[in-house]
Amino acid sequence: MVDDSVFSDVAPQFLPGWEIVVGLEVHCELRTKTKLFCGCANSFGREPNTNICPVCLGLPGSLPVINEQAVELAVRIGLSLNCTVDESIFHRKNYFYPDMPKDYQVSQYEKAINENGYLELPLSRKIVRIERAHIEEDTGKSTHVGGDNGRIHGADHSLVDYNRAGIPLVEIVSAPDLRSAEEAREYVSELRSILVASGASDGKMEEGSLRVDANVSVRQLGLSEFGTRCEIKNLNSLRSLVRAIGYEAQRQVALIESGGKIIQQTRHWNEDQGVTSAMRSKEEAYDYRYFPEPDLVPLSPSSEWITEIKGRIGLLPASRRERLAVLFDGVSSGSTFDQIVTAVNLGLDDLIVGSVESGADPRLALARATNEVAGDLEKLSNLTVEKFSDLIKMESERKLSATQAKNVLAQMLVSGATALDIAKAMGFEALDSSVIEDLVDQVISSSPREWERFSAGEDQLAGFFIGQIMKLSKGKADGKVVTSILRSKR
Amino acid sequence: MTGSSVGLGACQIAELVKSKQISAVEVTQEHLALNEFYDSALHSFLEITEAAAISTAKEIDAKIAKGEDAGLLAGVPIALKDNLVTRGIATTCASQILKGWKPPYSATVVKKVSGAGGVSLGKTNLDEFAMGSSTENSSFGPTRNPYDLKRVPGGSSGGSAAAVAAKFVPLALGSDTGGSIRQPAALCGIVGVKPTYGTVSRYGLIAFASSLDQVGPLARNVKDAALLLQVIAGHDPKDSTSLVDATPDFVSVIDHGVEGLRVGIIEELVDGVAPMVGEALKASAASLTSQGATVEYVSVPAVAYGLSAYYLIAPAEASSNLARYDGVRYGLRVEGQDMNETYVASRTKGFGAEVKRRIMLGTFALSSGYYDAYYGKAQKVRTMIIGSFKKAYEQFDVLLSPTAPTTAFELGAKAADPLSMYLSDVCTIPTNLAGHPAMSVPYGLGENQMPIGIQVLAPALGEANMFRVAAAIENDAPPISKTLFWE
Ligand SMILES: [Zn+2]
């Protein structure tokens, strides 16, 4: 799943003469200790219906009390997305569904806590406007058993797990500023990094911590008016996002080109078949009967508190990229910058910067981090800055060859042992140059005639000496070190 | 049948129990016996929790024997309106949809009452989900007025009011969304208090209209009501709308008299009430004057719009609050072919006519395209009412009006005409919209030889002056010279 959250194998759709318009609604689970309105733990993966109480179960008589930590994390998101953070109120969004314990969802409607922000895409430097980032409660989770593909229609019965009910969410709504599936991916990827860096989210799309709804429309190039949009619900990976937008845009273009008309509707993405299908049209849309939630008072974060929160936000991705770029002459594009973007997206920049600070080579650190460490991210916790930096140093000091360093690093991620211990255990420990020098002397004295010819300028004999020395060292001598000693003795 | 503690007030009983002149168990048994014998005629209780009451009473006696503080309500029997959740004890809101539901937790007020030594005897009848003014909307059958079994006790806290009036308990808790404590208190000849919104926790009160609901006491005298309010008031971290600075001491102010207090009679609520009710209001005003208050008429024009605004706001909130009774998680479930059918079948069978009427009214008022014209406008009227009261309270400490336009009517008299039933609450509704406190004090008998209630209104957190005035009215009020149905 790791590659899924960052990379995609699907090429962006190309529709000549048409422009894709995308706006995204990203639901982000906040990393709070407890749920939004009660004291139940905010945790994932428990036995169904064991993490519940009268409040999140919406039992008669129960009342919500807002979780201050959730408000703080929401404010962190707002500040990180350059929003105006202001007084806000909660509304009830009324509709019947079994996974909603109260048959209404408490959300922010008229006045969101965060409004009018923006996000800059790291590669294209495009500004994407953020309309709002508001707080709401999550619903429970339904499992439809039997029938069509896990959907409620035609199911034999449904099971509901309310453990997720009341988990705090922030919904981040972008303006329809994105123009391709690729841009949408870049946006979500950058947003994910911001959410993780601000401390608001763990960013785990595979666990549902981030869920994306995409509003997609198409228009002929050059037109300024938007086409009719369709909303694709619940895209749970970057790969699905790109594929779903691509499919939906093609569907809409094909429909229009064949004389049809787009109907505004909510659509469902089928990952296996790679298609979207209609859930409900605008005519069937719910009337949510929003009204101010009378059980909660307005949220009015004071400017002092907002300033305090600002001070608690960690380094954001843009600053993190800058911090890395400084190590490479302020690079701002090209393959090194791409690697920098990847490193920050994967949260590897602290590792790189830390190792460079303790003397490791930046280029090597960046390469090992974005290639080898990125390949085994789940094991990142086994790696400390110190261990990583020791490895890079061993490689740049030629105590390990590139291939050896990669093997050692892979082992370090698995076991958490130091580079030195693993290198020793694998028999990779490169020989000290004084040992190599002894070996060189040994070979010179045992092959005096060859040495004479080599000293006289027969360079092709270097291979003979290196081979001999390697044999003696059982392959542990670094070829480059051997060569330089040979040259110095000639 | 009458034991030594039946008919005594809460303050008296607590004193007798604490000084060991009577045991809490005796008090409990005497009141339970009366209930057992006579409540089949009155139907004030939906469930009597006899065993739990006796064991609570034993604990209190044990505490007293050990010399521990048994609390302000030591050994005082109390009845709980059945929209207050009680752990392990069926809580129905008098609705089929909640029949048999046993909550896993207790309301904050219920915990406070038992923490203060109160002994709950059981759960009292109400109009289904507190929607009504006569307790005829209970799906378990109506409660009757203990002064005339042909007549209603008022509502929606009719069970609580009837139980207190009939001396089954000295105290009861009710809830008041548009007059549901005060109006039945008036019709049954007892005292009923709707505190300032936020004074008493709503945690565990099953919501009807969240922005209007407030729990409050019913008692046979002003001092007992003040005592119970003192016990249940105070900030609750589980209720976001609960006030932080509510530090009550209502009992001690009661004897302070009304010398120098400025009392205004609300002009708009005088016309159109029954003649004897109007006369009683004037008499109570005269009595206040004679006790040193200044009394004048004052116009509070916006109260005239209270009823219209209320019947948009309260149903709107109710339509959302009652959505959760859908047959999925608890309560009644009528299986249909699919999910939607199950929703419809469960709610069709589970809710009574008045509840359905209000859910429909509220759903309509919140619908897109109608929101501004109905719910939005009603909220503006609400703001206007608050402004209108504010102006009056610049000149007056408390305001006076009848609690209900008439005395208790006969069962069935208004049941077929919801609008005339709604008018029963015309005097009490504006207070809920403003979030202010108000209470009803009995003032003799009126039409049909039934009790009259005088309403004392005060600005937010003005309970102290309200209790002073109520106590002064009580001091000088004509007695209810009529026997209870069982006397
Ligand atoms: Zn909970």
Side-chain angles (χ1 to χ4, degrees):
Chain A
M1 287 311 280
V2 173
D3 60 327
D4 208 28
S5 63
V6 188
F7 306 108
S8 163
D9 55 8
V10 178
Q13 306 300 321
F14 181 65
L15 300 162
W18 291 87
E19 184 174 49
I20 306 178
V21 175
V22 178
L24 296 178
E25 295 168 13
V26 176
H27 298 258
C28 162
E29 277 184 1
L30 298 179
R31 231 179 56 177
T32 50
K33 285 198 185 70
T34 55
K35 291 187 180 182
L36 185 55
F37 297 124
C38 65
C40 291
N42 177 359
S43 64
F44 174 82
R46 294 206 189 177
E47 276 291 298
N49 297 314
T50 56
N51 187 30
I52 47 173
C53 74
V55 175
C56 56
L57 214 48
L59 291 188
S62 67
L63 293 171
V65 177
I66 186 81
N67 175 347
E68 189 181 301
Q69 195 194 9
V71 180
E72 155 149 5
L73 295 186
V75 170
R76 286 195 196 191
I77 291 173
L79 294 173
S80 304
L81 294 173
N82 310 292
C83 292
T84 311
V85 181
D86 209 345
E87 179 171 303
S88 59
I89 57 170
F90 287 96
H91 271 65
R92 288 186 188 176
K93 181 180 182 178
N94 296 284
Y95 64 102
F96 283 89
Y97 203 78
D99 63 20
M100 280 212 311
K102 305 181 291 284
D103 286 306
Y104 59 79
Q105 181 191 26
V106 178
S107 179
Q108 296 195 306
Y109 175 63
E110 246 171 43
K111 189 75 194 70
I113 184 162
N114 306 303
E115 291 181 346
N116 301 320
Y118 65 87
L119 174 155
E120 191 187 58
L121 299 182
L123 295 172
S124 61
R125 308 279 151 150
K126 177 174 179 159
I127 299 286
V128 180
R129 289 168 298 156
I130 307 287
E131 289 179 350
R132 56 192 304 176
H134 66 257
I135 305 173
E136 62 184 30
E137 59 178 340
D138 209 343
T139 62
K141 206 170 173 171
S142 301
T143 309
H144 306 299
V145 183
D148 170 27
N149 225 324
R151 295 173 69 184
I152 192 163
H153 283 290
D156 295 332
H157 63 274
S158 301
L159 299 169
V160 193
D161 175 8
Y162 293 104
N163 284 352
R164 200 180 69 181
I167 298 284
L169 296 178
V170 163
E171 182 180 339
I172 301 140
V173 183
S174 85
D177 287 351
L178 299 161
R179 291 294 174 268
S180 69
E182 269 312 304
E183 263 186 17
R185 172 163 68 183
E186 195 185 349
Y187 167 84
V188 174
S189 170
E190 175 66 1
L191 179 59
R192 183 185 161 280
S193 297
I194 291 173
L195 295 171
V196 173
S198 68
S201 163
D202 63 15
K204 289 180 184 160
M205 288 189 94
E206 66 279 11
E207 286 185 7
S209 299
L210 284 187
R211 305 195 291 272
V212 184
D213 299 341
N215 284 294
V216 180
S217 64
V218 295
R219 62 181 170 189
Q220 265 162 332
L221 273 177
L223 287 185
S224 60
E225 225 164 275
F226 289 131
T228 303
R229 68 170 194 272
C230 290
E231 183 180 9
I232 316 167
K233 284 276 181 199
N234 259 321
L235 300 167
N236 293 332
S237 70
L238 291 178
R239 189 179 133 89
S240 311
L241 175 76
V242 171
R243 290 178 70 204
I245 293 172
Y247 171 85
E248 178 61 18
Q250 280 185 325
R251 183 190 73 87
Q252 291 185 13
V253 167
L255 184 60
I256 297 168
E257 282 181 343
S258 66
K261 230 181 136 185
I262 307 295
I263 306 161
Q264 188 176 332
Q265 58 189 189
T266 305
R267 297 181 70 84
H268 167 81
W269 168 245
N270 185 316
E271 182 73 45
D272 297 334
Q273 293 165 25
V275 299
T276 64
S277 54
M279 283 168 74
R280 54 179 180 266
S281 69
K282 196 186 176 189
E283 289 71 37
E284 303 165 288
Y286 297 120
D287 177 355
Y288 291 120
R289 293 175 288 118
Y290 283 101
F291 76 103
E293 162 60 295
D295 288 331
L296 290 166
V297 292
L299 278 184
S300 6
S302 70
S303 55
E304 293 79 31
W305 193 44
I306 293 172
T307 310
E308 261 177 63
I309 293 171
K310 210 178 259 179
R312 287 199 282 267
I313 298 177
L315 216 48
L316 292 175
S319 316
R320 288 173 178 273
R321 285 190 292 270
E322 219 164 276
R323 195 171 60 142
L324 279 183
V326 169
L327 306 175
F328 301 94
D329 304 322
V331 64
S332 64
S333 62
S335 64
T336 303
F337 189 70
D338 288 352
Q339 274 186 313
I340 289 176
V341 171
T342 304
V344 169
N345 279 345
L346 299 182
L348 298 170
D349 53 313
D350 283 342
L351 189 69
I352 298 164
V353 171
S355 66
V356 171
E357 274 169 4
S358 58
D361 174 63
R363 202 160 293 276
L364 210 45
L366 182 64
R368 290 289 162 265
T370 52
N371 295 320
E372 278 68 47
V373 180
D376 207 359
L377 270 183
E378 281 129 77
K379 307 243 167 61
L380 184 58
S381 58
N382 281 334
L383 200 60
T384 62
V385 169
E386 200 192 346
K387 287 176 188 166
F388 181 65
S389 127
D390 285 347
L391 172 87
I392 301 298
K393 282 189 225 164
M394 283 171 76
E395 188 183 351
S396 51
E397 286 163 11
R398 313 232 159 268
K399 288 177 182 162
L400 289 175
S401 67
T403 313
Q404 288 173 338
K406 287 177 190 176
N407 287 333
V408 171
L409 183 50
Q411 208 46 50
M412 286 167 77
L413 284 163
V414 172
S415 71
T418 64
L420 199 61
D421 286 348
I422 291 171
K424 264 187 197 160
M426 293 177 111
F428 284 165
E429 196 184 7
L431 294 180
D432 197 76
S433 56
S434 67
V435 177
I436 296 174
E437 207 166 330
D438 286 351
L439 292 176
V440 171
D441 288 342
Q442 220 177 306
V443 172
I444 289 175
S445 61
S446 68
S447 313
R449 242 172 286 157
E450 284 81 3
W451 179 250
E452 228 171 84
R453 283 163 60 195
F454 177 68
S455 301
E458 271 191 61
D459 275 358
Q460 64 269 30
L461 277 167
F464 165 78
F465 283 102
I466 293 170
Q468 293 286 310
I469 292 156
M470 283 300 180
K471 205 182 273 174
L472 281 175
S473 72
K474 298 191 179 84
K476 289 182 192 170
D478 187 301
K480 284 183 186 169
V481 179
V482 174
T483 313
S484 76
I485 294 173
L486 281 172
R487 281 186 208 288
S488 71
K489 289 195 177 278
R490 176 154 88 166
Chain B
M1 207 52 225
T2 315
S4 58
S5 68
V6 168
L8 296 182
C11 293
Q12 287 166 287
I13 290 176
E15 256 180 58
L16 292 173
V17 169
K18 282 186 201 175
S19 60
K20 300 182 198 171
Q21 295 178 58
I22 187 166
S23 72
V25 170
E26 281 173 275
V27 173
T28 305
Q29 279 169 338
E30 283 169 9
H31 284 85
L32 282 172
L34 195 65
N35 269 307
E36 176 124 5
F37 209 79
Y38 293 114
D39 199 42
S40 53
L42 196 61
H43 196 225
S44 62
F45 279 86
L46 292 176
E47 181 170 354
I48 292 178
T49 50
E50 186 169 342
I54 299 285
S55 91
T56 309
K58 280 182 181 160
E59 283 167 30
I60 289 158
D61 285 332
K63 255 187 169 179
I64 290 166
K66 278 190 265 174
E68 290 170 24
D69 182 13
L72 287 172
L73 300 179
V76 178
I78 184 164
L80 307 171
K81 187 177 182 179
D82 202 27
N83 59 356
L84 294 168
V85 303
T86 41
R87 189 188 168 109
I89 297 166
T91 301
T92 65
C93 281
S95 179
Q96 294 299 320
I97 210 150
L98 271 178
K99 195 175 174 182
W101 179 61
K102 288 186 177 168
Y105 75 110
S106 284
T108 298
V109 286
V110 172
K111 287 186 182 167
K112 285 195 168 200
V113 162
S114 64
V119 179
S120 166
L121 298 195
K123 311 293 294 283
T124 55
N125 200 8
L126 63 152
D127 287 298
E128 186 178 1
F129 282 99
M131 297 175 183
S133 311
S134 67
T135 318
E136 289 167 290
N137 296 335
S138 165
S139 78
F140 303 120
T143 299
R144 289 158 192 275
N145 194 305
Y147 285 106
D148 181 348
L149 295 177
K150 290 196 306 294
R151 294 180 185 275
V152 300
S156 64
S157 312
S160 284
V164 170
K167 300 181 186 170
F168 293 175
V169 279
L171 293 177
L173 285 178
S175 68
D176 191 315
T177 306
S180 280
I181 290 174
R182 292 160 287 162
Q183 186 259 15
L187 269 50
C188 290
I190 61 167
V191 175
V193 181
K194 197 287 271 194
T196 301
Y197 186 79
T199 298
V200 179
S201 169
R202 290 187 295 117
Y203 189 76
L205 166 66
I206 298 181
F208 160 16
S210 313
S211 75
L212 303 161
D213 296 342
Q214 191 67 186
V215 177
L218 295 109
R220 286 193 298 273
N221 61 69
V222 173
K223 194 174 175 189
D224 280 1
L227 177 76
L228 181 52
L229 181 56
Q230 195 150 327
V231 168
I232 60 173
H235 176 66
D236 180 6
K238 287 183 175 150
D239 176 359
S240 309
T241 62
S242 136
L243 296 171
V244 179
D245 53 358
T247 44
D249 185 3
F250 307 121
V251 180
S252 65
V253 299
I254 279 178
D255 308 324
H256 288 194
V258 290
E259 185 79 52
L261 284 183
R262 302 163 302 168
V263 179
I265 299 174
I266 303 174
E267 271 174 18
E268 285 77 6
L269 300 181
V270 175
D271 294 338
V273 302
M276 292 176 82
V277 173
E279 287 307 313
L281 179 67
K282 281 180 198 151
S284 68
S287 139
L288 288 173
T289 311
S290 72
Q291 295 181 64
T294 58
V295 183
E296 285 174 57
Y297 281 88
V298 57
S299 172
V300 188
V303 300
Y305 307 110
L307 207 65
S308 323
Y310 176 88
Y311 276 100
L312 289 166
I313 293 168
E317 292 182 9
S319 72
S320 173
N321 284 331
L322 272 61
R324 68 192 69 187
Y325 309 105
D326 58 10
V328 173
R329 288 159 299 270
Y330 45 78
L332 183 76
R333 175 183 191 139
V334 181
E335 294 282 352
Q337 284 302 304
D338 59 20
M339 186 185 75
N340 274 322
E341 266 188 31
T342 301
Y343 283 158
V344 172
S346 302
R347 291 166 68 81
T348 301
K349 184 132 189 271
F351 288 135
E354 183 61 27
V355 173
K356 285 177 190 155
R357 176 159 34 242
R358 296 203 197 186
I359 289 173
M360 285 190 284
L361 263 173
T363 302
F364 183 72
L366 290 175
S367 298
S368 97
Y370 298 97
Y371 182 94
D372 290 338
Y374 294 109
Y375 186 79
K377 200 157 197 178
Q379 288 294 5
K380 283 180 191 150
V381 171
R382 191 170 184 177
T383 308
M384 220 171 83
I385 289 171
I386 294 170
S388 206
F389 271 121
K390 191 170 178 236
K391 229 177 129 203
Y393 286 124
E394 281 164 12
Q395 299 169 61
F396 297 95
D397 300 304
V398 300
L399 300 175
L400 224 54
S401 82
T403 305
T406 65
T407 59
F409 41 93
E410 289 189 357
L411 265 81
K414 298 187 180 182
D417 181 2
L419 269 181
S420 82
M421 187 72 92
Y422 294 173
L423 280 168
S424 319
D425 294 330
V426 70
C427 302
T428 46
I429 276 171
T431 307
N432 297 78
L433 290 168
H436 292 169
M439 65 190 285
S440 182
V441 197
Y443 205 86
L445 296 172
E447 279 80 4
N448 305 307
Q449 284 289 293
M450 292 302 285
I452 292 172
I454 302 297
Q455 183 177 221
V456 185
L457 306 86
L461 298 173
E463 273 87 352
N465 284 341
M466 177 182 82
F467 277 119
R468 285 168 68 188
V469 171
I473 293 173
E474 180 182 55
N475 283 338
D476 209 15
I480 299 175
S481 44
K482 187 173 183 179
T483 55
L484 293 163
F485 73 99
W486 59 266
E487 281 175 332

